[in-house]
Amino acid sequence: GVSGAPIEKNVTLDSAAGIELSCRLDNKYFHLKNLQVVWKRGNEIIRHVNKTENSWSIQLRILDSSNLGSYSCTLKGEEEISATFHLQVPKIKGREKPTVSYEGDTVVMICKSYVYTPSAWTWYMTNGSEQIAINDSLLPDKYAINKISASVTHLKILKLTKEDEGVYSCEAAFQLGKSKEEQKLKVLSFMVPLKPFLAIVAEAVILVTIVFLYELYSKKKEKCA
């Protein structure tokens, strides 16, 4: 990298593994001399460094979620150059845009895991500041959770009401930790699409009433004349 512009790289791990993180100095920086190299995990210095020509690396055993996080190498000399590795569990994907439906309808929310296979899926509904796990066996008339495959899960919500509106989360469990994705549900009343129509009808009724009253007034005036 270049001075003042640190490099960042995401490293995805779903299970325990031995890995090596390496920082190599680009050819255009070979002129730099007397470099001091510091490896850190967060703010903690890691002292075990393996060095080859213009390359510095560390070997790690990632056994559980406590070993995940950010690891960085910083090369200090005439210039300061750094790179950071973010060790993380796999990301999962749901619908990015809010799901919009109407009262009384049924809606299906989807979550997927690409490349990596979770050991389990869990759906949650947010109630205020609390997340409540959804158990479809306790509320079969309201929820149905379908495991389409090991990497795909569906949450079906039946007979929507305004109370179902809110934030839902799907959570995938991996050996090294859990990954969560939020989705929003918006529930509309059937009156919402009718409002423009009712407004037009109201305007038409008012217009007809005005015309009728004007005609009545005109006839009465003619009769008096």
Side-chain angles (χ1 to χ4, degrees):
V2 296
S3 180
I7 296 173
E8 298 194 24
K9 181 178 179 63
N10 293 328
V11 180
T12 299
L13 297 167
D14 68 328
S15 58
I19 65 171
E20 181 177 270
L21 304 180
S22 182
C23 289
R24 180 181 58 82
L25 195 62
D26 192 275
N27 292 341
K28 62 184 177 181
Y29 294 103
F30 279 1
H31 65 280
L32 298 178
K33 305 297 181 183
N34 301 319
L35 288 171
Q36 292 183 340
V37 181
V38 178
W39 276 91
K40 289 184 178 181
R41 184 195 170 205
N43 295 319
E44 178 187 355
I45 294 177
I46 301 173
R47 298 187 180 278
H48 300 288
V49 178
N50 300 321
K51 182 183 183 305
T52 59
E53 187 178 1
N54 295 307
S55 177
W56 298 263
S57 62
I58 56 172
Q59 293 183 344
L60 304 170
R61 288 288 298 167
I62 309 301
L63 302 176
D64 53 43
S65 59
S66 66
N67 302 130
L68 299 177
S70 296
Y71 293 78
S72 63
C73 62
T74 302
L75 281 61
K76 297 181 179 180
E78 300 169 34
E79 299 179 49
E80 183 172 305
I81 307 170
S82 65
T84 302
F85 300 87
H86 300 289
L87 275 57
Q88 59 189 22
V89 294
K91 299 290 186 181
I92 57 176
K93 283 288 184 180
R95 182 182 172 88
E96 294 182 1
K97 295 181 179 180
T99 299
V100 180
S101 192
Y102 292 95
E103 290 179 328
D105 283 355
T106 295
V107 71
V108 176
M109 310 185 83
I110 304 173
C111 260
K112 298 179 180 180
S113 175
Y114 297 97
V115 182
Y116 302 93
T117 303
S119 59
W121 288 97
T122 306
W123 282 92
Y124 296 90
M125 180 183 182
T126 302
N127 185 2
S129 59
E130 183 182 6
Q131 286 193 330
I132 302 172
I134 296 174
N135 189 333
D136 58 339
S137 61
L138 295 178
L139 296 168
D141 295 334
K142 191 64 184 176
Y143 303 108
I145 298 176
N146 299 317
K147 189 177 180 181
I148 306 304
S149 70
S151 299
V152 182
T153 179
H154 287 185
L155 170 65
K156 183 185 289 185
I157 307 174
L158 312 169
K159 302 173 184 176
L160 288 174
T161 66
K162 199 65 178 175
E163 286 70 30
D164 294 318
E165 184 174 284
V167 178
Y168 292 79
S169 303
C170 58
E171 182 182 79
F174 299 95
Q175 183 183 340
L176 286 180
K178 297 177 179 179
S179 184
K180 188 174 287 187
E181 175 77 4
E182 290 187 346
Q183 301 182 48
K184 293 182 179 180
L185 173 62
K186 180 76 174 176
V187 181
L188 303 177
S189 167
F190 278 110
M191 290 300 293
V192 172
L194 288 176
K195 283 182 179 179
F197 173 74
L198 293 176
I200 294 172
V201 170
E203 289 179 3
V205 169
I206 292 171
L207 183 61
V208 169
T209 303
I210 292 172
V211 171
F212 174 76
L213 292 175
Y214 178 76
E215 291 289 336
L216 191 65
Y217 172 76
S218 298
K219 289 181 180 179
K220 186 176 181 181
K221 189 175 181 181
E222 290 176 4
K223 188 176 180 181
C224 291

